[in-house]
């Protein structure tokens, strides 16, 4: 844990430095000329989710064309590298898992929490080798466990270990991004792996892994975010973004077969696997009390183990202004 804290501090200090330097030259997304469309930088965080649907179906075209705005897309495997780009003004709108979200707020990075992605009840698990000797969380003691540091998988791992009387000091923690961890898990360089979908279900269905049972229910809610400077300068774009995100989420709920086909092409996973994932839990951009409570529990837990400097009130960091305006009756 001490080594991780040093790593996290170094990474976030670098992010803050980039933000300061970039701020000197930022135009907050404003076009260089009156006739040029506004460039809006939207980041995909993984290969599944309503933003993928919106991109594939062209759902942003109508809303953004009315505002003379044009999207520039980028893609990240997880939240921590996305945060770095956001801090350097290369991302305006996106979403984050709870790990990157909490760390970013803790370090006062320049973004606002404007909505949620869902409760995160089915999104993360701890996998063990199918043919290994790890049968329960307690068996992880002394074992090599992979996770992408600072992600929702990392938060889930910390909370799961705590529920069973362990900490990350009791395991050999290896920091790996999902694709690298997949290769390491397949070659049995990892005894276990804390990971989100579609990775965990795919490995279980292939017979590579088993999911370890955890005491209680651990939610991993994600959040939709906007860069501060951009949101202040262009609130109408943020509102349009939320409208399109919800439209894509609703379309996914109503068209699970077609949505599964789209995600299958992106992830190279079987359509049946994708459909199981996306029908297990419906996306919902409106904050729910249980999701807010789960975020607060994560914050308090992470402060207790030194993952963040101190606890804070998550509700104080939610800005409902944009979602209220976008969906006012």
């Amino acid at each position: 844990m001490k080594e991780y804290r040093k790593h996290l501090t170094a990474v976030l200090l670098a992010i803050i430095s980039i933000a300061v330097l970039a701020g000197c030259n930022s135009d907050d997304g404003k076009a260089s000329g009156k006739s040029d469309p506004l460039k809006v930088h939207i980041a995909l965080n993984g290969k599944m989710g309503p933003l993928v649907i919106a991109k594939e179906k062209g759902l942003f075209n109508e809303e953004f064309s009315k505002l003379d705005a044009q999207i520039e897309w980028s893609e990240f495997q997880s939240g921590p590298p996305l945060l770095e780009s956001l801090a350097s003004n290369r991302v305006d709108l996106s979403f984050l898992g709870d790990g990157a979200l909490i760390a970013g707020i803790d370090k006062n990075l320049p973004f606002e929490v404007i909505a949620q992605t869902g409760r995160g009840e089915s999104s993360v698990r701890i996998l063990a080798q199918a043919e290994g000797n790890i049968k329960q969380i307690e068996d992880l003691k002394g074992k090599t466990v992979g996770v992408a540091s600072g992600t929702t998988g990392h938060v889930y791992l910390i909370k799961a270990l705590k529920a069973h009387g362990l900490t990350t000091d009791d395991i050999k923690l290896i920091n790996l991004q999902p694709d690298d961890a997949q290769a390491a898990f397949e070659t049995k360089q990892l005894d276990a792996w804390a990971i989100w979908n579609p990775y965990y279900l795919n490995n279980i269905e292939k017979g590579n892994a088993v999911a370890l049972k955890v005491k209680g229910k651990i939610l991993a809610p994600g959040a939709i975010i906007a860069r501060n400077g951009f949101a202040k300068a262009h609130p109408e774009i943020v509102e349009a973004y939320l409208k399109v995100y919800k439209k894509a989420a609703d379309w996914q709920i109503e068209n699970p077969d077609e949505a599964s086909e789209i995600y299958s092409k992106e992830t190279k996973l079987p359509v049946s696997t994708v459909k199981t994932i996306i029908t297990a839990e419906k996306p919902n951009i409106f904050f729910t009390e249980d999701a807010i409570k789960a975020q607060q529990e994560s914050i308090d837990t992470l402060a207790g183990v030194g993952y963040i400097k101190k606890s804070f009130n998550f509700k104080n960091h939610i800005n409902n202004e944009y979602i209220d305006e976008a969906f006012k009756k």
Side-chain angles (χ1 to χ4, degrees):
M1 178 61 70
K2 290 181 180 178
E3 291 183 3
Y4 173 71
R5 288 200 298 269
K6 291 179 181 178
H7 171 75
L8 178 65
T9 299
V11 170
L12 289 173
L13 283 174
I15 292 173
I16 292 170
S17 297
I18 291 170
V20 171
L21 291 171
C24 296
N25 299 306
S26 171
D27 62 2
D28 279 326
K30 293 179 182 178
S32 58
K34 292 183 179 180
S35 62
D36 294 334
L38 174 72
K39 301 293 184 182
V40 183
H41 300 87
I42 300 180
L44 298 172
N45 190 352
K47 296 182 180 297
M48 292 182 64
L51 281 186
V52 175
I53 296 293
K55 182 173 183 280
E56 176 69 20
K57 302 289 289 184
L59 300 183
F60 279 104
N61 294 345
E62 181 179 355
E63 286 289 339
F64 276 34
S65 63
K66 291 186 294 187
L67 299 169
D68 195 25
Q70 186 177 68
I71 297 174
E72 291 192 355
W73 293 96
S74 57
E75 184 176 340
F76 300 85
Q77 282 194 54
S78 64
L82 191 157
L83 277 179
E84 184 174 348
S85 284
L86 184 147
S88 60
N89 295 349
R90 288 177 286 146
V91 171
D92 299 319
L93 300 163
S94 190
F95 64 92
L96 294 169
D98 54 355
L101 178 75
I102 292 168
I105 294 174
D106 178 60
K107 293 297 181 180
N108 295 314
L109 295 186
F111 67 85
E112 298 181 86
V113 179
I114 59 172
Q116 70 168 24
T117 59
R119 299 171 70 244
E121 182 176 350
S122 64
S123 58
V124 187
R125 294 293 184 272
I126 299 173
L127 302 181
Q129 296 287 347
E131 303 300 325
N133 57 4
I134 298 174
K135 306 301 180 184
Q136 55 189 2
I137 297 293
E138 289 81 359
D139 295 336
L140 293 174
K141 190 168 185 177
K143 303 298 185 181
T144 301
V145 182
V147 71
S149 294
T151 64
T152 189
H154 197 178
V155 176
Y156 186 94
L157 176 62
I158 292 170
K159 294 173 78 172
L161 290 171
K162 181 183 178 183
H164 292 260
L166 299 174
T167 72
T168 51
D169 290 333
D170 294 310
I171 63 176
K172 298 174 184 177
L173 195 63
I174 306 296
N175 177 20
L176 293 170
Q177 286 295 311
D179 288 348
D180 294 330
Q182 177 68 65
F185 190 80
E186 287 179 351
T187 55
K188 296 183 169 55
Q189 297 177 65
L190 297 176
D191 299 308
W193 180 20
I195 190 60
W196 51 86
N197 263 328
Y199 294 93
Y200 92 68
L201 184 58
N202 183 45
N203 279 275
I204 289 174
E205 291 192 344
K206 289 194 301 185
N208 295 340
V210 292
L212 300 180
K213 292 184 178 180
V214 177
K215 291 179 182 177
K217 182 184 291 185
I218 298 178
L219 300 183
I224 300 173
I225 55 103
R227 184 170 59 82
N228 288 343
F230 181 87
K232 183 178 180 180
H234 306 289
E236 73 286 354
I237 298 292
V238 178
E239 292 159 19
Y241 170 75
L242 288 171
K243 289 177 182 177
V244 175
Y245 193 104
K246 185 177 185 301
K247 184 176 181 180
D250 291 344
W251 184 90
Q252 174 182 305
I253 293 169
E254 295 164 3
N255 302 274
D257 292 326
E258 189 175 346
S260 298
E261 293 280 356
I262 291 172
Y263 292 141
S264 177
K265 291 177 183 177
E266 292 290 326
T267 62
K268 311 304 181 187
L269 296 177
V271 173
S272 59
T273 299
V274 173
K275 187 174 180 179
T276 298
I277 293 169
I278 68 172
T279 56
E281 181 180 344
K282 295 179 179 180
N284 174 26
I285 72 169
F286 299 100
F287 278 106
T288 58
E289 285 303 316
D290 57 350
I292 293 173
K293 180 181 177 182
Q295 289 283 24
Q296 191 61 54
E297 289 173 350
S298 293
I299 292 164
D300 296 341
T301 297
L302 299 180
V305 301
Y307 180 94
I308 58 176
K309 295 190 300 292
K310 62 181 180 179
S311 184
F312 55 84
N313 189 329
F314 180 63
K315 282 188 176 181
N316 292 342
H317 293 272
I318 298 173
N319 185 350
N320 287 315
E321 173 186 345
Y322 303 104
I323 198 168
D324 288 345
E325 185 65 24
F327 300 103
K328 63 183 179 181
K329 297 180 180 179

